[in-house]
Amino acid sequence: MIWNKAKECMSRDELTSLQSARLVKLVDYVYHNVEFYRKKMQAIGILPSDIKSIEDITKLPFTTKDDLRDNYPFGLFAVPQSEIVRVHASSGTTGKATVVGYTKRDIDIWSECVARCLTMAGVGRNDVLQIAYGYGLFTGGLGAHYGAERIGATVVPMSTGNSKKLTTMMLDFGATAIACTPSYLLHITELLEQEGLIDQVKLKYAICGAEPWTEKMHKDIEERLHVNAHDIYGLSEIMGPGVACDCAFHKGLHVCEDHFYPEILDSNTFKAKKEGETGELVFTTLTKEGLPLIRYRTKDLTSIDYSTCDCGRTSARISRFKGRVDDMLIIRGVNVFPSQVEAALVDVKEVSPHYMMIVDRVNNLDSLEIQVELNPKFYTDEIRVLEALNKKITHVLSQALGLNPKVKLVEPQTLVRSEGKAVHVIDKRKLY
Ligand code: DLL
């Protein structure tokens, strides 16, 4: 079992000293290797020597997703490209991907963090783990994969997209653990129930994340599949899955605090929230080489608990996520911003900038319909022309979003105009 007690059970004082030493090193590192941070620090008159301990973190500037986008693709990397052994990418706010890069050591630390999370969930070398997060630019598949190999589990790299094959292999291989999004696991559960196969399932653990889920979904998965379901959190910018995960006591997600320093802040005043109060989660990567980030605003809302957990781990625990500060949607695990739709439609002269995204969840699978208003200048009711246009817009939007929406063209002036802030999303998914 990989439970590195020396790291996961160090006293808060020991942890604070470690975090301080790592922050001091990090600030010096970014100042000398990332022009963006050097300029930001110079602009507010901060030198690396001003940072002496973790308490000084509040003197440092924030980093946002827009900063990554503005420096697309590799502008924030702290090492030459020859040191980068892997890149991943997720959606940015206006269509440009957020690109992240890892050195060999980063991948090593990432694997260790995921290994810790899987161990927290109970997965070990005797388990057969099906990974049904997407493999590819998304961090879920490969991130979970390396961590699972680190603990010596038998990994089945399913990826996403073939539920029938997944259920067949689950039973044939006697899978004892599965890692995928919670909504997809409920979908798989339903398939197994419909086919009368649920009693043959040998799963003991489910490691679910990449999207928000409720206590009710958690209970549902545990009861219907007879598994221990664990919540794993992460984001590409900071690393990928494995930033935090909950243990057998399910009293919050243990943060790998020796690598990622969490702050919970008020999104408007940037003042620290008290322990237990909800605010925006902000992370500083303490050990990353490829893409070190200082005070990265995740936009995720949660609270923090510094007390020692019943499992013995001393790392801080963040609560199940309570939403986001921004308008990012997570649809089938893909991060989608309404502004991406807007940016993609600007170049299509046959339509107007009026659109509505309708997100739904049927049989635990997310669907996205995008209604787009035709431009009065190009309005036609000729079916053939409309079909061709629909095809073109579907292609443009699929390329921009990284998933296939259903496009519905509507007549000019059909979509409701809002008097205040424009409403572009109707999210019918009931996170029950
Ligand atoms: O979703 C990384 C990941 C993969 C995490 C697999 C867990 C499992 P991104 O695509 O960059 O990375 O999306 C990050 O997803 O800021 C949250 O809003 C949301 N998110 C991730 N995990 C959870 C979770 C991956 N357990 C964004 N609960 C984050 C709620 C989550 N939201």
Side-chain angles (χ1 to χ4, degrees):
M1 162 159 138
I2 293 199
W3 180 8
N4 195 334
K5 279 203 170 184
K7 283 183 187 149
E8 290 182 75
C9 298
M10 56 173 74
S11 72
R12 293 286 332 158
D13 284 348
E14 282 170 328
L15 189 57
T16 306
S17 307
L18 180 70
Q19 289 170 330
S20 290
R22 288 185 168 173
L23 182 72
V24 169
K25 214 169 143 191
L26 167 79
V27 172
D28 191 66
Y29 179 67
V30 297
Y31 190 87
H32 292 103
N33 293 288
V34 187
E35 191 188 5
F36 167 82
Y37 281 122
R38 187 165 52 249
K39 284 193 173 154
K40 266 205 158 188
M41 285 170 63
Q42 282 168 347
I44 52 172
I46 292 283
L47 286 169
S49 54
D50 294 322
I51 306 301
K52 296 186 172 63
S53 75
I54 199 75
E55 278 88 52
D56 292 328
I57 200 161
T58 53
K59 296 179 183 166
L60 293 167
F62 291 103
T63 314
T64 63
K65 210 174 180 72
D66 280 346
D67 292 327
L68 283 161
R69 199 198 68 215
D70 294 345
N71 291 282
Y72 173 89
F74 303 147
L76 293 191
F77 287 11
V79 294
Q81 182 248 305
S82 56
E83 296 296 313
I84 297 289
V85 297
R86 183 164 350 138
V87 291
H88 282 284
S90 71
S91 309
T93 42
T94 56
K96 273 265 167 75
T98 302
V99 182
V100 297
Y102 307 77
T103 64
K104 203 163 180 309
R105 183 165 165 267
D106 291 336
I107 298 279
D108 205 47
I109 290 174
W110 184 8
S111 309
E112 152 140 4
C113 291
V114 173
R116 284 186 202 175
C117 293
L118 293 173
T119 305
M120 250 185 253
V123 182
R125 58 180 300 116
N126 295 322
D127 285 296
V128 176
L129 171 65
Q130 275 187 311
I131 297 178
Y133 289 117
Y135 279 65
L137 287 173
F138 177 54
T139 53
L142 283 167
H145 187 109
Y146 275 57
E149 282 191 349
R150 175 67 67 92
I151 58 171
T154 306
V155 184
V156 187
M158 291 303 309
S159 197
T160 48
N162 195 336
S163 308
K164 181 77 195 97
K165 201 167 183 179
L166 187 148
T167 53
T168 305
M169 289 189 171
M170 179 187 281
L171 303 182
D172 292 352
F173 298 180
T176 53
I178 186 162
C180 62
T181 60
S183 57
Y184 189 52
L185 189 53
L186 278 169
H187 175 69
I188 296 292
T189 307
E190 236 157 48
L191 289 184
L192 289 161
E193 283 169 347
Q194 276 161 15
E195 294 184 17
L197 298 170
I198 199 87
D199 292 337
Q200 296 178 33
V201 172
K202 296 213 166 54
L203 292 178
K204 291 187 285 183
Y205 317 105
I207 301 92
C208 298
E211 66 181 11
W213 52 316
T214 57
E215 209 37 69
K216 168 86 175 66
M217 286 170 83
H218 178 251
K219 202 162 158 253
D220 223 16
I221 289 174
E222 289 205 326
E223 284 177 3
R224 287 163 69 184
L225 268 180
H226 306 291
V227 293
N228 285 311
H230 292 265
D231 192 356
I232 187 165
Y233 168 79
L235 62 165
S236 332
E237 297 88 320
I238 295 305
M239 184 178 73
V243 172
C245 187
D246 65 347
C247 65
F249 290 87
H250 300 301
K251 288 187 180 157
L253 288 74
H254 290 275
V255 178
C256 292
E257 262 191 292
D258 45 341
H259 297 293
F260 313 109
Y261 182 75
E263 295 174 85
I264 307 286
L265 305 181
D266 181 305
S267 302
N268 299 314
T269 63
F270 301 125
K271 275 172 94 175
K273 290 280 189 180
K274 290 203 189 87
E275 191 172 343
E277 278 180 4
T278 298
E280 182 181 342
L281 178 60
V282 171
F283 270 120
T284 298
T285 64
L286 295 174
T287 50
K288 260 172 77 182
E289 292 178 337
L291 179 63
L293 292 181
I294 289 186
R295 306 191 86 195
Y296 183 74
R297 294 188 56 191
T298 68
K299 307 278 175 111
D300 289 316
L301 291 167
T302 183
S303 58
I304 201 156
D305 179 351
Y306 289 101
S307 64
T308 300
C309 180
D310 293 341
C311 73
R313 289 178 180 84
T314 49
S315 47
R317 282 165 290 150
I318 46 179
S319 64
R320 187 181 285 286
F321 286 85
K322 299 180 170 82
R324 287 184 56 87
V325 179
D326 64 8
D327 55 359
M328 184 177 96
L329 298 157
I330 303 180
I331 303 171
R332 293 193 180 192
V334 179
N335 302 346
V336 174
F337 290 90
S339 51
Q340 289 175 284
V341 173
E342 205 157 310
L345 292 178
V346 161
D347 296 329
V348 185
K349 61 182 185 323
E350 294 93 338
V351 296
S352 73
H354 297 290
Y355 66 93
M356 183 66 83
M357 301 167 71
I358 299 164
V359 193
D360 208 348
R361 185 168 282 172
V362 181
N363 295 334
N364 291 302
L365 285 181
D366 293 339
S367 64
L368 170 64
E369 175 178 300
I370 305 180
Q371 300 183 349
V372 184
E373 256 186 33
L374 287 161
N375 184 334
K377 277 201 221 152
F378 294 93
Y379 180 67
T380 170
D381 50 11
E382 221 183 294
I383 300 281
R384 231 166 17 92
V385 178
L386 287 173
E387 276 175 0
L389 182 58
N390 193 313
K391 213 166 153 195
K392 172 173 150 185
I393 294 172
T394 306
H395 177 73
V396 167
L397 290 172
S398 306
Q399 294 290 309
L401 304 180
L403 49 80
N404 287 329
K406 180 174 172 228
V407 171
K408 190 171 168 194
L409 296 174
V410 297
E411 289 181 20
Q413 300 297 326
T414 313
L415 298 175
V416 181
R417 307 290 193 259
S418 162
E419 287 184 1
K421 217 164 134 50
V423 179
H424 288 302
V425 179
I426 299 173
D427 196 342
K428 294 183 178 170
R429 291 176 295 187
K430 287 190 185 65
L431 283 175
Y432 65 104

